[in-house]
Amino acid sequence: MNEHESEKLGGILENMGYIEAENTESADVIVFNTCCIRENAEQRAEGNIGALKKLKKSNKNKIIAVGGCMTQQKGRAELLKKKFPFIDIIFGTHNLADFESLLKRKLETGKSFIEISSDEYSMKECNYVSRKMFPSALVNVMYGCNNFCSYCIVPYVRGRERSRTPENVVNEVKSLVEKGFKEITLLGQNVDSYGKDLTPSIDFADLLKMVNGIDGKFRIRFMSNHPKDVNEKLCNTIKECDKVCNSVHFPIQSGSSKVLKDMNRRYLGIDSMNKIEMMRSIIPNVYVTTDIMVGFPGETEEDFNETLEFTKKARFNGAFTFVYSPRKGTKAAEMPNQVDENVKKERIIKLVDLQNSINLEHSLNAVGKQVTVLFESFNEKDGLLSGRDEGGKVINVYHNKNLIGEFKNVKITKANGITLYGEII
Ligand code: SAH
Ligand code: SF4
């Protein structure tokens, strides 16, 4: 989501006539698109902003702007300005599409300012995108989140769920396919909520069918789903739609029903396991990836062991693993029994080790299999062309770069750890 918003900011700047600078020293305008999902994201942003102090001192005309989730937290913009008075523009998540007028205001008046809208419904669509991921493209289907998982800052900084109309989504995908993009990733904090705010009613499976009906050879991916909402209709749609990848990002967060209840996830461990089994029984060769968090307040050794057991049983095709980070303003930050930092560290190491061993097994099992790869990058140094199979797994082949943006059938011939190599057949 943030990467796509950076593409939008880039698009706005390019439309104004700016070009990408080689480095911060030579840049006229520097825009930080921040994240605040965990504390270390904010620390990194602050570190990078602070590092510009000298540069700004030596060149007062350099414009420094800070936007994104971090600035949208209550009172955060003022604190940032206090800590880094040299920032010229601080703007909120709902002001992104107005960046051109914000920059012009700074250029015309020379004055620094904070512009944070708290009304998500006033947010405009951004008409410019500087796409950086060819042959892949990101497309928002909705903004915001209504789920209020007790640990999560997103609903506070992104507002309530707002779906784009299916016509808007379909038109954007059509124009991307006409331009030669071969992989479209539909984005939403919880894509399963898509359409709940639209009339006539439509759900995410219906939208997938519509996008699948667009002419052309391309792939469709989407993220993220919510375990409470994944249903048989969605699974059957993934199975039936030829362009939709057999791959689902299914963030379980924890294997312990007690922890899940405190997280306000509204499903039990057994529910998400049953849904994984449903996905595997309906969608042929489905890849299931996940997000898992350790160290949520009150997570006991027993709860954590349930997460390990779940992970062992689920055999995810990949997992993003996180240490719980208290976020001011969320319910979980106020909960008693915050877990000791050392215990959190021990747990994340155990979980990562386990998932690494599962990843390795999946890699070894992939050898000898035939997959369809969309090539996306070339490494000059070692002459390797890289692409992804339907599940999103990276496959490398020795070939020149003229296949970037093309689909080819590849036989996987070797696994070096989790890195896979193959031959075009
Ligand atoms: N909407 C998606 C993803 C949200 S953020 C979903 O519901 O899955 C991506 C991941 O960051 C989450 O899945 C969660 O595992 C993690 N995350 C969110 N808040 C966090 C926090 N306070 N501390 C640590 N990890 C967090
Ligand atoms: Fe955060 Fe939960 Fe919404 Fe995901 S579903 S963005 S974790 S509140």
Side-chain angles (χ1 to χ4, degrees):
M1 201 74 87
N2 267 40
E3 266 183 59
H4 188 37
E5 287 182 351
S6 295
E7 291 182 327
K8 290 178 184 175
L9 285 163
I12 293 172
L13 286 163
E14 276 177 12
N15 180 59
M16 291 174 76
Y18 286 93
I19 54 167
E20 208 173 309
E22 297 227 323
N23 49 42
T24 46
E25 283 75 22
S26 65
D28 295 318
V29 179
I30 299 171
V31 188
F32 288 93
N33 182 24
T34 62
C35 168
C36 64
I37 195 87
R38 284 167 288 276
E39 197 185 350
N40 57 9
E42 290 202 64
Q43 282 167 348
R44 280 223 315 272
E46 286 208 352
N48 289 327
I49 297 166
L52 293 185
K53 190 176 171 186
K54 256 199 190 149
L55 212 56
K56 176 75 179 176
K57 219 174 178 179
S58 63
N59 178 2
K60 292 249 176 329
N61 292 328
K62 202 183 274 293
I63 294 176
I64 298 174
V66 183
C69 294
M70 180 163 99
T71 63
Q72 190 72 34
Q73 297 171 94
K74 219 169 155 210
R76 193 70 170 88
E78 290 72 18
L79 279 179
L80 259 184
K81 182 71 191 162
K82 222 170 160 186
K83 197 161 178 185
F84 307 106
F86 58 85
I87 302 175
D88 298 288
I89 306 170
I90 301 183
F91 62 106
T93 50
H94 313 313
N95 303 92
L96 185 141
D98 290 324
F99 190 68
E100 175 169 352
S101 67
L102 300 180
L103 184 54
K104 281 187 175 154
R105 182 163 132 203
K106 169 68 198 174
L107 291 168
E108 281 159 18
T109 65
K111 291 207 174 82
S112 303
F113 58 88
I114 294 174
E115 190 68 52
I116 311 271
S117 161
S118 52
D119 178 12
E120 66 267 40
Y121 296 97
S122 68
M123 191 183 107
K124 295 184 204 120
E125 288 272 1
C126 181
N127 296 321
Y128 309 102
V129 187
S130 171
R131 304 261 170 203
K132 296 285 181 221
M133 296 168 68
F134 182 86
S136 298
L138 305 168
V139 172
N140 286 106
V141 301
M142 58 189 299
Y143 308 99
C145 183
N146 289 0
N147 284 313
F148 287 94
C149 301
S150 63
Y151 50 81
C152 186
I153 193 81
V154 171
Y156 301 93
V157 292
R158 294 274 170 187
R160 297 294 69 70
E161 287 166 357
R162 288 145 284 140
S163 304
R164 292 178 75 198
T165 63
E167 293 75 27
N168 272 350
V169 174
V170 167
N171 286 339
E172 185 174 349
V173 176
K174 260 189 196 155
S175 91
L176 288 164
V177 172
E178 279 163 15
K179 285 182 189 131
F181 285 89
K182 296 286 164 54
E183 182 179 83
I184 306 295
T185 302
L186 304 175
L187 295 176
Q189 291 301 344
N190 173 12
V191 290
D192 301 307
S193 294
Y194 177 78
K196 283 188 181 156
D197 54 333
L198 295 178
T199 34
S201 85
I202 175 169
D203 65 14
F204 184 63
D206 298 330
L207 180 72
L208 273 183
K209 279 185 206 152
M210 290 175 76
V211 177
N212 190 70
I214 296 171
D215 285 338
K217 184 159 174 54
F218 67 101
R219 265 178 186 169
I220 304 165
R221 297 190 189 281
F222 49 91
M223 71 186 299
S224 292
N225 293 86
H226 195 301
K228 75 176 162 48
D229 297 323
V230 166
N231 57 25
E232 243 181 271
K233 180 179 174 186
L234 178 72
C235 296
N236 284 320
T237 306
I238 297 170
K239 177 185 165 185
E240 284 155 20
C241 292
D242 58 325
K243 294 181 177 114
V244 176
C245 291
N246 53 1
S247 164
V248 182
H249 188 62
F250 185 81
I252 60 149
Q253 310 300 352
S254 169
S256 152
S257 297
K258 186 201 95 198
V259 171
L260 287 166
K261 183 164 180 285
D262 293 344
M263 286 179 165
N264 192 30
R265 291 288 286 180
R266 286 170 278 170
Y267 55 85
L268 305 174
I270 181 77
D271 300 328
S272 40
M273 189 55 82
N274 287 342
K275 296 225 174 150
I276 292 171
E277 276 160 17
M278 176 178 75
M279 288 188 274
R280 291 202 165 128
S281 71
I282 298 178
I283 313 166
N285 303 316
V286 67
Y287 287 56
V288 183
T289 55
T290 197
D291 293 349
I292 310 175
M293 194 189 301
V294 302
F296 183 81
E299 183 191 66
T300 60
E301 211 49 38
E302 204 181 323
D303 295 320
F304 173 63
N305 282 332
E306 285 186 48
T307 296
L308 289 179
E309 284 310 311
F310 194 106
T311 308
K312 257 185 223 162
K313 193 165 168 210
R315 315 214 70 69
F316 293 112
N317 297 87
F320 295 106
T321 50
F322 305 106
V323 171
Y324 166 73
S325 164
R327 306 284 59 215
K328 205 167 161 224
T330 62
K331 280 216 170 113
E334 305 304 320
M335 287 179 183
N337 309 326
Q338 298 283 328
V339 175
D340 179 82
E341 288 303 320
N342 290 324
V343 174
K344 285 184 188 170
K345 267 187 209 142
E346 279 167 25
R347 289 183 186 166
I348 193 84
I349 291 170
K350 273 191 197 156
L351 180 63
V352 168
D353 279 352
L354 171 62
Q355 185 58 40
N356 281 346
S357 68
I358 295 169
N359 291 344
L360 199 64
E361 257 179 55
H362 282 304
S363 269
L364 294 174
N365 284 339
V367 176
K369 296 220 165 90
Q370 194 179 311
V371 290
T372 305
V373 174
L374 170 61
F375 288 107
E376 45 189 46
S377 64
F378 181 70
N379 185 329
E380 299 276 351
K381 216 175 83 202
D382 44 23
L384 273 177
L385 183 67
S386 300
R388 284 171 201 274
D389 69 359
E390 261 199 67
K393 239 183 359 222
V394 176
I395 318 278
N396 302 291
V397 301
Y398 288 98
H399 199 283
N400 60 38
K401 61 177 158 195
N402 61 14
L403 289 183
I404 289 180
E406 288 196 33
F407 291 99
K408 290 283 169 207
N409 288 331
V410 171
K411 186 174 177 189
I412 301 175
T413 50
K414 195 175 92 176
N416 187 357
I418 56 159
T419 312
L420 294 174
Y421 297 84
E423 282 166 11
I424 296 171
I425 45 176

